[in-house]
């Protein structure tokens, strides 16, 4: 099953990185580095959300209707002549569902880790969000997934490159300080200041190649 790293190293990934870099005026290597951090963070948020019946139902509905994977067929076309506002608004809506009021926390953590300014990061992840959803939707359809357990397993597989025990640690430690919000911990994890010793901080460090 193709994961985030497979996507980024594919021709589709090249189109995505090039398009986002041109759209935001960032270097392609920096854009690729950011996506390698931001995309797993989005998947981690989804993985946390599907643990509730409402979250699983909402994601399943979105993947079954609007985000089926068709977007992956013509990524270069999205960026020709500039990305239109409806596409950006769609991405903003997805991020709102994933991160809510904690979105600036995520963006600032990514900024600290990547060295890119938060405004550029906000633009990039906004445009990347529908593509991440398309990737998940395509894999869901191919795997004929129709329940929350299947979605949870799919998201773990898309994170890629880790054992099932690692993925279990990722899920259980997303809220490292036990306060009910894993997004408080995302900033610490990405910046390398995880409140938990080893564990998730080390796992995400490996995920991000840092």
């Amino acid at each position: 099953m193709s994961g985030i790293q497979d996507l980024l190293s594919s021709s589709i990934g090249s189109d995505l990185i090039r398009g986002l870099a041109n759209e935001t005026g960032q270097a392609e290597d920096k854009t690729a580095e950011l996506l390698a951090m931001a995309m797993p963070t989005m998947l981690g948020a989804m993985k946390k959300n599907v643990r509730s019946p409402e979250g699983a139902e909402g994601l399943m509905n979105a993947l079954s209707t609007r985000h089926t994977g068709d977007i992956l067929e013509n990524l270069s076309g999205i960026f020709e002549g500039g990305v239109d506002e409806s596409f950006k608004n769609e991405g903003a809506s997805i991020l709102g569902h994933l991160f809510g009021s904690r979105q600036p926390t995520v963006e600032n953590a990514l900024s600290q880790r990547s060295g890119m300014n938060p405004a550029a990061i906000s633009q990039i992840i906004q445009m990347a969000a529908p593509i991440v959803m398309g990737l998940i939707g395509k894999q869901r359809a191919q795997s004929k997934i129709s329940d929350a357990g299947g979605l949870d397993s799919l998201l773990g597989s898309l994170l890629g490159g880790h054992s099932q025990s690692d993925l279990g640690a990722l899920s259980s430690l997303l809220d490292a300080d036990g306060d009910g919000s894993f997004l408080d911990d995302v900033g610490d994890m990405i910046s390398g200041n995880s409140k938990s010793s080893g564990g998730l901080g080390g796992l995400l460090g490996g995920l991000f190649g840092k």
Side-chain angles (χ1 to χ4, degrees):
M1 183 174 291
S2 298
I4 290 298
Q5 292 301 328
D6 295 318
L7 174 69
L8 291 176
S9 61
S10 69
S11 59
I12 290 175
S14 296
D15 287 341
L16 173 61
I17 292 164
R18 187 180 308 109
L20 290 172
N22 290 339
E23 186 75 16
T24 59
Q26 301 297 314
E28 288 189 20
D29 60 342
K30 282 293 188 181
T31 301
E33 180 183 340
L34 174 65
L35 289 174
M37 291 186 280
M39 286 181 164
T41 303
M42 293 180 197
L43 291 174
M46 291 181 203
K47 194 165 169 57
K48 181 75 171 179
N49 290 347
V50 298
R51 298 300 172 86
S52 75
E54 297 82 5
E57 182 180 2
L59 182 57
M60 185 68 74
N61 287 340
L63 298 176
S64 303
T65 56
R66 187 167 185 82
H67 301 288
T68 59
D70 293 346
I71 193 172
L72 301 176
E73 302 303 321
N74 185 32
L75 278 187
S76 59
I78 293 170
F79 298 101
E80 288 177 2
V83 178
D84 67 47
E85 287 303 311
S86 64
F87 187 83
K88 294 178 182 178
N89 291 338
E90 175 118 20
S93 177
I94 292 168
L95 294 178
H97 283 296
L98 289 180
F99 300 137
S101 63
R102 295 293 184 176
Q103 187 173 334
T105 300
V106 175
E107 292 170 357
N108 287 332
L110 290 168
S111 177
Q112 291 172 21
R113 189 69 176 180
S114 68
M116 191 180 291
N117 71 73
I121 287 171
S122 180
Q123 293 180 61
I124 288 172
I125 64 174
Q126 187 180 89
M127 290 182 284
I131 291 140
V132 173
M133 289 290 287
L135 173 66
I136 300 167
K138 182 176 181 179
Q139 297 283 9
R140 185 209 67 83
Q142 290 177 343
S143 301
K144 297 180 171 59
I145 290 169
S146 59
D147 57 36
L151 275 181
D152 187 59
S153 296
L154 171 62
L155 292 168
S157 296
L158 287 171
L159 280 165
H162 299 282
S163 69
Q164 287 302 311
S165 61
D166 281 342
L167 292 172
L170 174 59
S171 177
S172 64
L173 292 173
L174 280 172
D175 179 27
D177 60 5
D179 65 355
S181 175
F182 89 89
L183 289 170
D184 287 328
D185 307 303
V186 166
D188 293 311
M189 292 185 294
I190 297 174
S191 63
N193 298 317
S194 178
K195 298 170 190 172
S196 60
S197 58
L200 187 57
L203 172 61
L204 288 187
L207 238 177
F208 298 158
K210 294 289 184 180

